[in-house]
Amino acid sequence: MKSNRGFVIGRMQPVHKGHIEVIKKTLEEVEEIVIGIGSAQLSHTLKNPFTAGERIMMITKALADNEIDADKYYIIPMEDIQMNAIWVAHVKMMTPPFLKVFSGNYLVQELFKEEGFEVTTPPLFNREELSGTEIRNRILNNEDWSNLVPKATFNIINEINGAERLKNLSKKELSELK
Ligand code: NAD
């Protein structure tokens, strides 16, 4: 029976408290959740600074800290493909079976609806602050971002010198504009 399994996907650059809230809320509606780490092939750019492996660590530890049992979810890195029209088939090939999709991303919603999936838009939690863009900007500008992410994300970004990485990437991308 695959009906009681849901799918969420996010770039999670980095994993923030909004992602954790969506996962918790989704687990109120389904028994198990398939969590796609989107754009898994991307890292070391200003928009996508963290590797799939680093994002897997962030989400795994954050879910454990939130006392979500490991048998409730599957974390699957998902590389992008060039062809949106067959992306859902690509996702299905890589994931445990599911029928329900939970996403606020309009393209994700559209592609899954066209393939007959039930798509739900989860509520947004403090979207002004709980966004990857806001967090990456704060890191770059030496502003406080610690309260926007789970402790696990904060610790992992420190462990990998993530703030320094972002600042170096910013120098690189600025120099390429010249
Ligand atoms: P994201 O990290 O911005 O968001 C992930 C999910 O969390 C979304 O559903 C979003 O609505 C939700 N969310 C984010 N902040 C929230 C908050 N504060 N409160 C509540 N919910 C919040 O990631 P995304 O951009 O939606 O990820 C989609 C992924 O799917 C990307 O990696 C994209 O490349 C991939 N994709 C690939 C293809 C392809 O390869 N052809 C096609 C479609 C999508």
Side-chain angles (χ1 to χ4, degrees):
M1 242 278 277
K2 61 181 179 182
S3 58
N4 221 4
R5 203 169 292 121
F7 179 67
V8 299
I9 185 161
R11 283 188 302 116
M12 308 197 201
Q13 289 283 9
V15 172
H16 58 62
K17 287 182 176 171
H19 296 129
I20 303 302
E21 285 307 315
V22 169
I23 289 167
K24 280 188 179 166
K25 192 96 192 120
T26 303
L27 276 171
E28 287 173 12
E29 293 186 40
V30 291
E31 274 171 32
E32 293 184 358
I33 183 165
V34 181
I35 303 169
I37 304 290
S39 305
Q41 82 283 9
L42 297 180
S43 73
H44 294 83
T45 67
L46 269 185
K47 195 175 168 198
N48 294 286
F50 305 113
T51 66
E54 289 161 350
R55 290 176 274 156
I56 289 171
M57 267 203 302
M58 292 173 195
I59 191 89
T60 307
K61 288 188 188 295
L63 293 177
D65 289 345
N66 277 274
E67 296 180 347
I68 297 173
D69 285 345
D71 66 357
K72 289 277 177 203
Y73 58 85
Y74 307 84
I75 300 173
I76 316 280
M78 291 293 320
E79 292 184 22
D80 293 328
I81 60 167
Q82 303 243 333
M83 299 141 292
N84 283 334
I86 58 167
W87 181 64
V88 170
H90 170 69
V91 171
K92 281 169 71 181
M93 180 181 76
M94 301 297 290
T95 51
F98 58 86
L99 285 181
K100 297 178 185 172
V101 175
F102 299 81
S103 177
N105 178 307
Y106 297 124
L107 177 60
V108 172
Q109 292 179 352
E110 178 61 23
L111 295 177
F112 274 104
K113 273 186 199 158
E114 286 187 15
E115 295 302 320
F117 282 81
E118 186 183 324
V119 176
T120 303
T121 309
L124 283 171
F125 302 95
N126 183 14
R127 185 59 180 165
E128 294 78 47
E129 290 191 302
L130 294 181
S131 98
T133 307
E134 173 70 18
I135 294 162
R136 295 192 302 277
N137 283 338
R138 287 197 190 188
I139 295 175
L140 276 173
N141 297 323
N142 293 320
E143 292 166 18
D144 185 27
W145 51 279
S146 58
N147 59 329
L148 307 184
V149 298
K151 187 100 186 88
T153 295
F154 184 74
N155 289 343
I156 288 161
I157 291 180
N158 285 334
E159 176 194 327
I160 62 172
N161 291 326
E164 200 183 323
R165 181 188 298 173
L166 262 167
K167 287 170 192 169
N168 288 334
L169 292 169
S170 150
K171 285 187 220 156
K172 175 187 169 289
E173 292 189 19
L174 277 176
S175 74
E176 284 169 358
L177 288 177
K178 289 180 187 160

